[in-house]
Amino acid sequence: MMRSSHLSLKIFLLLIVYVTYLGCLSVHAEEGSCANPGSDTEGTCADVDGDDFDDKPSRRRMDGPIFATFENLSPYRADIHFDDGRFGNFVSTLEANGGEARLTTYRGHSFFITRHGVREALVDPATDGQYFFRIPEDFEGKDDEEGPHFTLPAEASPSKTKCKDRYPICTFEAE
């Protein structure tokens, strides 16, 4: 009987720890937030899980939010992904030929662009390099004011290289 009550107590305590852990991770998704990884919700890329990106100084949010504008001049509908160092988190879609999106973000955040729906990188045809946009750590704008304007140029296109890594993590993992 004593053994059974100790086991029940351990299970109860484990359940409390688990529920507390889930509560810390949960974020009430609202329109205009990154919400959870892999979410199709548009808007901000605040540090939704509260971990300050593993306390890496180059990725830590240092100040208040800023507003970044992304413009797509290419003939391709494009998706903006927050660069989490792995496979990215979808943030917003840019319509082709002049589509724009305004995102709430923080200094030090990076984004990459893919062709809409297929996650195929849109690249600079001259270099075959994928487009990345980064909010500088030392961005001088005031918090809650208009931030940088990033433009995907008209010549952006899918890579002509038959075998090209789709995500930034692929190159790192291959090493």
Side-chain angles (χ1 to χ4, degrees):
M1 182 70 169
M2 184 71 148
R3 189 178 246 185
S4 176
S5 67
H6 281 293
L7 182 60
S8 296
L9 180 61
K10 287 180 182 180
I11 290 173
F12 177 73
L13 290 174
L14 184 60
L15 183 61
I16 288 174
V17 169
Y18 180 71
V19 168
T20 303
Y21 174 72
L22 289 178
C24 291
L25 290 180
S26 71
V27 174
H28 295 288
E30 55 185 75
E31 192 171 335
S33 71
C34 269
N36 296 318
S39 161
D40 284 339
T41 308
E42 295 184 0
T44 67
C45 276
D47 182 15
V48 295
D49 61 1
D51 69 356
D52 269 346
F53 305 101
D54 300 322
D55 292 327
K56 295 177 186 169
S58 64
R59 302 287 301 262
R60 191 179 319 129
R61 95 180 153 206
M62 305 294 244
D63 297 309
I66 56 173
F67 301 106
T69 302
F70 293 78
E71 182 179 15
N72 179 12
L73 300 180
S74 81
Y76 299 94
R77 201 166 174 217
D79 290 337
I80 303 170
H81 300 272
F82 172 70
D83 184 4
D84 63 356
R86 306 233 2 115
F87 300 101
N89 290 323
F90 170 82
V91 179
S92 186
T93 297
L94 295 168
E95 295 301 323
N97 302 311
E100 285 192 359
R102 185 172 183 238
L103 306 177
T104 304
T105 187
Y106 294 87
R107 289 162 182 84
H109 282 187
S110 295
F111 301 88
F112 61 91
I113 308 294
T114 63
R115 212 167 114 207
H116 177 67
V118 294
R119 295 186 69 110
E120 177 182 17
L122 289 174
V123 301
D124 178 348
T127 64
D128 203 37
Q130 186 173 5
Y131 287 99
F132 285 90
F133 301 108
R134 181 175 174 78
I135 313 295
E137 290 283 349
D138 59 353
F139 179 74
E140 301 265 339
K142 295 180 182 174
D143 294 348
D144 294 327
E145 287 188 1
E146 195 63 35
H149 186 99
F150 299 111
T151 302
L152 185 65
E155 61 272 2
S157 63
S159 176
K160 301 285 187 226
T161 305
K162 297 261 187 225
C163 184
K164 181 144 182 91
D165 291 327
R166 291 182 179 212
Y167 308 104
I169 188 68
C170 297
T171 305
F172 174 76
E173 291 290 327
E175 292 174 357

